[in-house]
Amino acid sequence: MENQSLQKKVVLTCAQPTGKLHLGNYIGAVRQWVKMQEDYECYFGIVDMHAITMPYVPAELRKNTYMCAAQYLACGLDPDKCSMFIQSNVRGHAELTWILACLCPIGQLERMTQFKDKARKLSEGAGGVSIGSGLLFYPVLMAADILIYNADLVPVGEDQKQHMELARDLAQKFNNTYSPTFNLPEAYIPKTGARIMSLQNPDAKMSKSDKNALGSLYMIDTPDVLRKKIMSAVTDSGSEVKFAEEKSGISNLISIMSSVTDKSVSDIESEFAGKQYGAFKKAVADAVIAKFDPIRIKYEELMTDKAYLESVLKRGAAAAQRRADKMMSKVYRKAGYVDAISSK
Ligand code: TYM
């Protein structure tokens, strides 16, 4: 058993504890994780340390962390097949961030699109909130999350591509500066659904920070709410259910339909040839509700059992810690640190 798991490729991915997970998180991430746990040695982190790079409320962060864990389990993550953990519960993420930060040029961080977007939002906000250095170092912490497990594969949505490139650059830089240590992790980006867009503004990605409450579909929305949001999704003035760049609204709905039903885009186009947008939206709503309703029911049940959630997270953190410790002692040795405390 031990030997078998040693040979498996290692998968690591993480998501911020945003509370309610939206359809983009499900399609771009969690759905892949559920499949991958069958074939790989998987580590899934809830990144509460990333969550504090923007202004936040501690009591909400705590609640959101439980909510995320419950949603992942409700989606099918199985504690017997993967290790699900909270980032701050595993020693080493912040320590490796420091080592990598010392190798990372500041200019590379300042050029990160997500940093620029978030920094702009903060400075435009009421009273112009100051930008913490943690926000600049966000991608270095993400690189540490990946490299501390020496991950082979990292399933993510399209929006994390630039961060993934930095993680590979830093791995390479460490290997060149000291000696070969880290694998170069590969991003694993789904073919359809890597970028689910807002239902109200199909040119912006679906995101929890969308000001329009109808723009995002949440896994734990009730069926009525899901239906209402999908039926009021913005589409173009045409009537053909066809995937095309200039039809961003309808193409987004086709991607959603394809991802939740596992049907191909062309099968969906043929099925709805000659049908109106209204009929297509109704079918999308039925498909999303059929997918999410059992997840919501399971989620509600899990949220009543905090002790169970904690036991899963504790077990996940212990497994993650074992792997992280091995990597950190290697890293420290190569960096020239003296270990005068561990028993030899
Ligand atoms: P986060 O929490 O924003 O999102 C979690 C995952 O969901 C994907 N995603 C989407 N996919 C498709 N369409 C969308 N509209 C959409 N919105 C989000 C994201 O690509 C991601 O895969 N920085 C990361 C968290 C992180 C991480 C890591 C990821 C921290 N450390 C190490 C991988 C490996 C983030 O903020 O994801």
Side-chain angles (χ1 to χ4, degrees):
M1 196 56 197
E2 182 69 38
N3 261 339
Q4 214 181 9
S5 83
L6 280 178
Q7 285 156 13
K8 281 184 182 176
K9 282 199 170 180
V10 173
V11 167
L12 169 287
T13 194
C14 305
Q16 297 202 53
T18 43
K20 295 199 283 186
L21 298 182
H22 58 67
L23 185 89
N25 299 135
Y26 176 72
I27 294 175
V30 191
R31 194 174 60 118
Q32 263 66 245
W33 309 358
V34 172
K35 289 186 189 150
M36 291 177 112
Q37 67 180 347
E38 301 300 330
D39 301 315
Y40 300 100
E41 181 179 334
C42 291
Y43 297 88
F44 300 122
I46 301 176
V47 288
D48 53 352
M49 288 157 68
H50 281 103
I52 70 167
T53 56
M54 292 290 274
Y56 78 106
V57 178
E60 275 174 22
L61 174 61
R62 200 168 294 123
K63 178 163 177 249
N64 288 345
T65 303
Y66 284 108
M67 284 174 74
C68 277
Q71 285 167 89
Y72 294 146
L73 293 172
C75 285
L77 284 193
D78 177 348
D80 288 332
K81 294 182 181 161
C82 68
S83 302
M84 182 167 91
F85 64 92
I86 300 171
Q87 183 187 36
S88 65
N89 288 186
V90 179
R91 263 185 334 273
H93 288 248
E95 294 169 37
L96 183 55
T97 301
W98 181 249
I99 303 267
L100 297 176
C102 293
L103 293 171
C104 183
I106 289 190
Q108 205 170 352
L109 297 180
E110 285 168 339
R111 285 193 296 276
M112 289 280 152
T113 324
Q114 287 202 359
F115 168 69
K116 287 196 282 187
D117 287 352
K118 289 181 181 174
R120 186 174 17 83
K121 274 186 194 146
L122 281 180
S123 53
E124 282 169 3
V129 180
S130 71
I131 300 155
S133 352
L135 191 62
L136 185 65
F137 284 89
Y138 180 114
V140 188
L141 176 58
M142 177 160 160
D145 295 338
I146 298 167
L147 301 181
I148 203 169
Y149 299 100
N150 211 17
D152 298 296
L153 284 176
V154 184
V156 278
E158 192 83 41
D159 63 331
Q160 298 300 317
K161 240 175 158 173
Q162 198 183 27
H163 289 162
M164 281 304 302
E165 276 157 25
L166 182 81
R168 288 169 61 90
D169 282 356
L170 292 177
Q172 187 88 66
K173 205 144 193 199
F174 186 97
N175 291 350
N176 293 343
T177 308
Y178 300 104
S179 64
T181 306
F182 296 116
N183 291 329
L184 293 193
E186 298 276 351
Y188 180 90
I189 298 177
K191 286 195 184 68
T192 20
R195 195 167 165 81
I196 297 294
M197 311 310 278
S198 159
L199 297 182
Q200 291 297 314
N201 174 11
D203 297 321
K205 74 169 182 174
M206 186 176 284
S207 147
K208 190 147 186 235
S209 52
D210 193 339
K211 295 232 164 53
N212 190 329
L214 293 174
S216 302
L217 296 169
Y218 293 104
M219 263 186 238
I220 54 175
D221 278 343
T222 59
D224 286 353
V225 171
L226 289 171
R227 192 174 296 281
K228 184 172 158 214
K229 288 180 178 174
I230 294 170
M231 294 311 289
S232 58
V234 168
T235 46
D236 54 280
S237 55
S239 62
E240 209 186 349
V241 178
K242 187 142 191 61
F243 196 97
E245 207 176 309
E246 66 281 8
K247 291 163 79 76
S248 53
I250 209 73
S251 298
N252 191 36
L253 289 176
I254 295 175
S255 292
I256 293 174
M257 184 71 162
S258 164
S259 303
V260 296
T261 59
D262 281 328
K263 287 184 192 164
S264 69
V265 168
S266 59
D267 282 352
I268 294 169
E269 287 173 341
S270 328
E271 191 180 334
F272 291 91
K275 301 216 173 102
Q276 298 293 310
Y277 284 171
F280 179 57
K281 283 181 173 176
K282 186 176 171 303
V284 175
D286 289 343
V288 169
I289 291 167
K291 187 67 151 191
F292 282 175
D293 213 35
I295 293 178
R296 180 181 56 82
I297 293 165
K298 181 84 192 144
Y299 159 79
E300 281 168 4
E301 191 188 306
L302 285 163
M303 280 302 277
T304 63
D305 195 352
K306 235 175 169 175
Y308 173 70
L309 294 177
E310 282 167 2
S311 73
V312 168
L313 292 164
K314 187 172 177 185
R315 185 175 152 195
Q321 190 68 71
R322 280 194 292 278
R323 196 166 166 94
D325 279 347
K326 278 191 205 144
M327 214 55 210
M328 274 322 284
S329 55
K330 232 190 217 180
V331 165
Y332 273 0
R333 204 166 2 94
K334 297 204 178 192
Y337 286 178
V338 173
D339 177 3
I341 51 166
S342 63
S343 52
K344 295 222 169 74

